[in-house]
Amino acid sequence: MVKEAFDIDALIERHGRERSSLIPLLQEIQSELGYVPKEAIKAVARELDIFEVEVYEVLTFYAQFRLTPRGKHVIKVCLGTACHVMGGQDIFNYVSQVLGVSAGETTKDGTFTLERVACLGCCGMAPVVAIDDQVHGRQTISKVEKLLREHAANDVGKGEHVTKDAK
Amino acid sequence: MPAVYINGSKVEAKDGATILQAALDAGIYIPHLCHHPDLEPAGICRLCLVEVEGRGIVASCQAQVEDGMAVWTETPMVQKARQISLELLLTNHLGDCLSCPKDNECKLQEVASYIGINEERFKQLRMLAPQFPLDESNPFFLRDPNRCVLCGICVRTCDEIQGIGAINYAFRGFATTIATFGNKPIVESNCESCGECVVRCPTGALVPKNYRKPAKEVKSICPYCGVGCSIYLGVRGNEVVFVRGDKDSPVNEGQLCVKGRFGFGFINSPERLRKPLVKRNGEFVEVTWDEALDLVASKFSQYKGDQFAAVASARCTNEENYLVQKFARAVMQTNNVDNCARLCHAPTVAGLNIAYGTGGGTNPISDIDGASCIFVIGSNTTVAHPVVGTRIRRAARRGATLIVADPRRIELFNHAHVCLQQRPGSDVALLMGMARVIYEQGLHDEEFIRERCENFEAFVESLEQFELDFVEEVTNVPKEKIIQAATLYATRKPSLIIYSLGITEHSHGAENVLALANLAMLTGNVGKPSAGVMPLRGQNNVQGACDMGCIPASFPGYQPVKDGAVRRKFEKAWGCRLSEKPGLTLVEMFQEALKGNVRAFYIVGMDLAYSMPNARMVWEALERAEFVVVQEILMTGTAKFAHVILPGASFAEKDGTFTNLERRVQLIRKAIEPIGDARPDWWITCEIAKRMGATGFDYSHPSEVMDEIARLTPSFAGMSFARLEGAGIQWPCTSPDHPGTPILHIEAFNTPTGKGHFSPLQYKPPAEMPDDEYPLILTTGRSLYHFHLSMTRRVEGLLALHPEERIWLNPKDASKLGIADGDKVKVISRRGEVFTRAKVTEDVAPGTAFMTFHFYETPTNILVNEALCPIAKTPEFKVTAIRVERA
């Protein structure tokens, strides 16, 4: 489940109200919740006495920050040079089509988030897909289909559509 | 003063100036895009590169001059570096200059033609088709990211000048763009549509919609609120097509709000009244001026004396107001003349008169900049007086302590150090509570009180009852906050009080004003720069309408009608006998009309049928009246009750003067011919008078009226149109060589004794308190996008930004009533009911509701209580007991 609660008072206690506290604050919120929700942006802006849009500027500048909730499982499809040559794009397209989401998006049921990454550092195993930071090498469409099904099946009542759509 | 050598010539620079500033001041051009004289240097565009000997290439907007520095602005290295920066900018810029609204005014074109571009490279680089979608959501301006050079001037304007922060950079690399929070269309952000960014944008990225270039410009004054921003009307043919702020004005320094900048559409509206209209068999029929004026003159002749009442217009000029009261007093032989100040700042005039001897604000608007503490109470400044509001925001950001007290969580709360959310109508308790804290802690200014004030002991005695437990209970403000606010106000000097209708529109409005006057005297904050008491007057010339004697007890300049010597002076000047009996105030006129005692009305430029309390009572009175003449620019709710409607000229169609909230008399100038057959109001009043056989109404120009005012009014004695050119003069101005008076009461107060008068006060609850039947308190106010009713609703864009009424309810009250946001509701008071929709928001406290009064469809003032302040006769708009039901 996506956690919604954050304790802004405790966060401020730890990081202070300086402008320089902004990034550590946002990082901690993201590590707690998996993303930085709108309410958190407003609270941080209020506490630091800066404009909401300034927080938004920082959040959109750094690739590390996310503005939408993450799914239970994060699938990273590698499109680095080696993976690209070995058909990474086909795998990405397949996953994207099956889950019905584009890069950076999360399925409506909150099960999967799809990400496109540039290199996972294991080119010898290309094409590579990582699910929840576990790396799976030498992927094919059928192998990925199985991976998705397994991860979906772990969640009771979730991911049914993956099995169906994949057929 | 450091001396620098720019291209070999010696240039004297200001201390701390940047190289760019020094060069531009010396008339040496250095190309630049992101520099703007109003803003802090940013060093973004990299076009202002210069070579400094011993240092190499530097951005001249970022480097401060040093004595003896040698700067070269046109070396080959500089030129090459600039060219690269320019080409990189052009790469991301849509290259269809001829179809761009900024063509010929574009700063990017200017620098490109100066620096020169390599045609071959440019051909390869330039963007041929738009890559980003346009943001057309704002009705007044367009955002085109394809023409944006990311100079950040808009971002810095919104931050540094407006203090809003609606936009900033977002994303990075090629995707970098200027975005709102969440990258939503601008209209969904906290943007206030002031257009300050549009004015400063160097390219076509921010442009006004439907822009047509004016053929000429005429200097004038904004016709909306009492701030009195100086403007230039852009005229093309007989149409006002553009408005810009006057940078040289000390009032607004070039700034404008959304209404001032974009709200001029009513001037040339097709709905303007073009011909005199006479009601025949219930229908308005067009007639000639002769027919209309003869009818009015012959009818008015039958209603001379106190059966006649004139309502003057706070929208019209000083000269026109002077003539309306002269007409009422000299021709109609009655003092029954009043203006809309009765509904707003009459308690200010009364209260400040009692305390200080002059019923006007003590200090100029620009004094906000120097105040160490600003205490704003009962004023939603950023909405009702936006240009003053941004000044307060800037002061707070610069470090001034800001205390804000309002029953609603208004925008200024976001910038305040202390926020007090008092119960509507509990201001006397709050302010006297603060006074008690100051006195008990010994923070009062003993010397000032001893030397400059009187009646202090009686005041101190009256503090007795304001024990903080009692104050907390009455105001619902925690004790600690009252102590904090009082301490800050008393210790961070100079402290300036800013207030508006939240203080005055109560059944004890004058006492609220007295409480503020007490507080300022107690701490010695009067008669000094950046201190004092600043009432924010509502309409563009409501100060002037009062100054000109459109009030029942005074001739121009607050000279009492009861004073025999004054009366004789006016009798001699006007050649007639004048009544010594003070006339009826505005609400009383209609109460008397219901009884049949007032039978004829001359109503100039005021939509009173929808802006007075207990509106139904006013409608009945107007129906009952035997002869009603309304002089207006547009068909209003009031004009519909008229027997004759006389089409007046708008502010853009005549010469004259307006007086703003800091007593500054400023010229307005005729920019276009009157629309249709409309005539200036001064001409109309004079024609009626002349046709009634009166003398003394032969003026060929308003300047002659001002000369007469100056002859008869000591505080205006030094004024003339010739002297008012430029930034105007603040009254009192007692002789032709008197410079005017920006700050009042510096040496002595204007009271008979010359002393500031302390008033002992008691807490009185509002006339109507919530009970089981009517459990909520309704308080009313303005929207940023409307002024009253008729003018702003003729401006399509303003109506789009705020299309309809909403009643604000706290979520707790709403859920108790089973009402959700957007639900249709019925609002009921003891006087009537209206239908509207609910806006559920934490911005109102539980038990409180809020509505504006801008919509004929939802005539809020039907609900409002006409209970009057006994001193000022101002009704209690701010507290009405209501019940809300689902509809």
Side-chain angles (χ1 to χ4, degrees), chain B residues 145-158:
Chain B
N146 303 295
R147 294 193 164 101
C148 178
V149 289
L150 299 174
C151 67
I153 284 178
C154 55
V155 173
R156 286 177 284 142
T157 299
C158 201

Side-chain angles (χ1 to χ4, degrees), chain B residues 313-318 320-321 540-541 604-605 654 657-658 681:
Chain B
S313 176
R315 288 254 170 263
C316 286
T317 64
N318 285 321
E320 290 164 340
N321 277 295
N540 57 319
N541 197 33
V604 184
K654 59 195 177 191
T657 58
F658 290 159
D681 297 81

Side-chain angles (χ1 to χ4, degrees), chain B residues 45 54 98 173-174 232 283 384 386-387 591 644 654 738 760 826:
Chain B
C45 71
L98 285 179
F174 290 118
Y232 283 95
E283 296 280 318
V387 172
Q591 288 167 342
V644 179
K654 59 195 177 191
H738 189 288
K826 183 155 87 169

Side-chain angles (χ1 to χ4, degrees), chain B residues 170-190:
Chain B
F171 311 105
R172 69 168 167 183
F174 290 118
T176 308
T177 184
I178 305 295
T180 63
F181 176 36
N183 203 16
K184 296 230 169 69
I186 188 101
V187 83
E188 291 172 35
S189 74
N190 56 333

